[in-house]
Amino acid sequence: MKQNIADLAGYSPFYGAPFVFNIFNFDPSMYYGSGNSSIIHPLMNFLSGPLLYFSKFLFGNLFFLVIQSVINALSVIMIYYYLRKSGSDNVLAVLFAAFFGVSSYNIFTAMIPDSYSYVQFIIILSVLYLQYSRVLAKTNVLPNASFALVNFAATSTNIVPFIGALFFNMIDKRDNKTIKKFISILLTFLLLVVLFTLLQSVLFGGNTWINNWITGLNNGGFSYAAPFSFSQHWKAIYMLVISPILSPDMMLVDQGIMAFVTDLTRPYPFYVTIIGFTLIILAGLGFIKGIKSRETWTLVPYIFFAILLHIIVGFGLAVFKFDLYLYAGHYLFAFFLLAARFIMQINHDFIKKGLIAIILIFVLTTLGNNVIKHIETLNYIEDTYSGLNNTGAVK
């Protein structure tokens, strides 16, 4: 990109950002969002501003590649650590951490200076902290309010599943003060939001997420929503869960803004369907198996809220054909953890070893698929740009 910036910039919709590849629904917000804020990412400019500043002195695109690769690696380590602390043996924890780590979502979010890798990291770290609180049988107000703040700061909708997970994590028949402490956490969270919004106003010249929240909802929220229709949107189910694991084929859908998206005209390979739906089924069984467990109920709010937001409300469905896959960083990890917890609780040794062997095959197949698909994607993007003539037509 750096060598061909003059040719690429003419087709970039990203306001002069040095990253110009338009892979929906990613955008290089960490590059051009240093002073901007919105209801979607209310306080993200506290992070994007310093990152943009450092990238100017530390190799530009390469800086984000390294930072986000490290962040995704830390997310994988937290998945491993969470499973080990949940009672998993080392083999199962390594397999599911690796399975999560080689997923398409984690590869793409390492390559694009977008907010998603940071959001995913915050969510998994929050869930890990809830596990820590559960083990200690103690809930502290300020740390939990702070985690609520950073979840809201990165993506406003993330506050809903986090509050749900926090509530279920706090339920304890032995503690009659649960509701009182829960309300204290919420009030402290609101106070922190007010304080950081005031600080945002001071640091960014009066520009806060409140200034344009109505416009932001109309442009970046409600306009993306559509009622779910199975006949029209059934492939969105793949894009919500399965494609973020196994990279799909891609195509150029809009030459005007050079938008590269999932090629919905091609059928999904059979092994993609098998791996994807097997993981979904295992996660569902993990929910059923642990339905009486607080640990299960700290994970399922992320999946339930995703279903509510993207299927029932239909956020993203109006433009889902312009996406690579849909908002996976907000909930994808929960499928892996629930599936792992199901296998972990199987008492029959032969069945358990058989499922572990199947997961190993899935990991290797996913890794092979994603390496090949990502090479094909990058070659396809390069060939497409190289085929542009002076009028902007693809040869």
Side-chain angles (χ1 to χ4, degrees):
M1 286 187 291
K2 193 171 183 179
Q3 294 173 350
N4 298 280
I5 190 67
D7 295 327
L8 299 178
Y11 303 98
S12 172
F14 295 136
Y15 315 107
F19 191 97
V20 295
F21 288 167
N22 195 5
I23 303 178
F24 274 76
N25 59 350
F26 296 105
D27 62 67
S29 53
M30 308 310 288
Y31 255 139
Y32 64 73
S34 59
N36 299 325
S37 59
S38 69
I39 184 63
I40 307 299
H41 306 290
L43 301 171
M44 199 66 182
N45 51 358
F46 279 100
L47 178 62
S48 61
L51 288 177
L52 174 60
Y53 176 81
F54 286 121
S55 70
K56 293 178 179 178
F57 304 98
L58 296 172
F59 313 111
N61 289 332
L62 184 59
F63 169 77
F64 286 102
L65 175 64
V66 172
I67 290 293
Q68 294 180 194
S69 295
V70 170
I71 288 174
N72 284 356
L74 291 174
S75 296
V76 172
I77 291 170
M78 287 192 291
I79 293 293
Y80 168 81
Y81 188 78
Y82 183 98
L83 290 174
R84 290 291 284 161
K85 289 298 179 180
S86 294
S88 169
D89 60 54
N90 194 54
V91 172
L92 187 64
V94 167
L95 274 179
F96 270 91
F99 196 3
F100 176 73
V102 301
S103 65
S104 176
Y105 186 85
N106 284 314
I107 296 174
F108 263 124
T109 54
M111 298 171 63
I112 302 170
D114 188 270
S115 61
Y116 284 118
S117 58
Y118 306 91
V119 170
Q120 177 176 260
F121 176 83
I122 290 169
I123 292 173
I124 297 175
L125 181 61
S126 302
V127 170
L128 190 61
Y129 179 77
L130 292 179
Q131 182 191 54
Y132 171 76
S133 299
R134 192 166 56 248
V135 170
L136 291 184
K138 185 176 181 180
T139 302
N140 295 314
V141 172
L142 185 57
N144 282 285
S146 299
F147 273 106
L149 173 69
V150 294
N151 276 276
F152 171 78
T155 305
S156 56
T157 53
N158 285 349
I159 190 60
V160 178
F162 176 77
I163 291 299
L166 173 65
F167 177 77
F168 288 118
N169 199 61
M170 292 177 64
I171 292 177
D172 190 342
K173 296 179 180 179
R174 298 167 297 179
D175 187 358
N176 296 324
K177 299 180 180 179
T178 296
I179 298 299
K180 182 178 179 181
K181 185 171 286 188
F182 181 72
I183 293 174
S184 297
I185 293 172
L186 293 183
L187 292 175
T188 305
F189 156 67
L190 292 175
L191 177 60
L192 290 173
V193 170
V194 171
L195 291 175
F196 273 85
T197 301
L198 292 173
L199 181 60
Q200 184 182 50
S201 179
V202 172
L203 294 178
F204 298 97
N207 181 11
T208 72
W209 62 274
I210 296 176
N211 292 349
N212 61 350
W213 70 276
I214 295 179
T215 303
L217 283 176
N218 289 330
N219 294 339
F222 298 138
S223 63
Y224 292 169
F228 179 80
S229 167
F230 185 82
S231 61
Q232 298 180 37
H233 302 124
W234 69 270
K235 287 191 175 182
I237 298 173
Y238 273 82
M239 295 166 70
L240 281 166
V241 183
I242 299 175
S243 292
I245 301 170
L246 295 113
S247 296
D249 294 306
M250 293 183 66
M251 65 179 292
L252 176 67
V253 70
D254 188 329
Q255 184 182 320
I257 55 175
M258 296 302 291
F260 295 92
V261 303
T262 293
D263 187 351
L264 297 176
T265 64
R266 299 193 197 183
Y268 290 95
F270 74 94
Y271 66 86
V272 169
T273 299
I274 291 172
I275 294 174
F277 279 101
T278 298
L279 183 66
I280 293 172
I281 291 170
L282 289 175
L285 293 173
F287 168 65
I288 295 170
K289 183 80 171 176
I291 197 167
K292 296 181 179 180
S293 166
R294 280 194 296 164
E295 185 167 0
T296 297
W297 283 98
T298 60
L299 298 175
V300 294
Y302 293 94
I303 297 176
F304 287 173
F305 184 69
I307 294 172
L308 171 65
L309 186 63
H310 300 301
I311 300 298
I312 298 176
V313 175
F315 179 77
L317 292 183
V319 291
F320 87 99
K321 293 181 179 180
F322 277 79
D323 284 316
L324 176 59
Y325 29 64
L326 300 174
Y327 314 103
H330 305 283
Y331 55 84
L332 186 64
F333 75 98
F335 283 95
F336 288 89
L337 292 181
L338 286 170
R341 280 184 52 75
F342 171 70
I343 297 176
M344 186 175 67
Q345 297 176 74
I346 294 176
N347 295 322
H348 196 289
D349 192 55
F350 178 77
I351 295 176
K352 187 173 184 178
K353 287 182 177 178
L355 287 173
I356 289 175
I358 290 172
I359 297 300
L360 175 60
I361 294 171
F362 284 2
V363 172
L364 296 175
T365 304
T366 300
L367 175 61
N369 176 85
N370 291 349
V371 169
I372 292 172
K373 291 295 184 184
H374 277 74
I375 292 173
E376 289 179 354
T377 294
L378 295 176
N379 288 336
Y380 174 67
I381 291 173
E382 183 177 10
D383 291 344
T384 301
Y385 272 101
S386 66
L388 293 173
N389 60 26
N390 293 331
T391 63
V394 177
K395 293 178 181 179

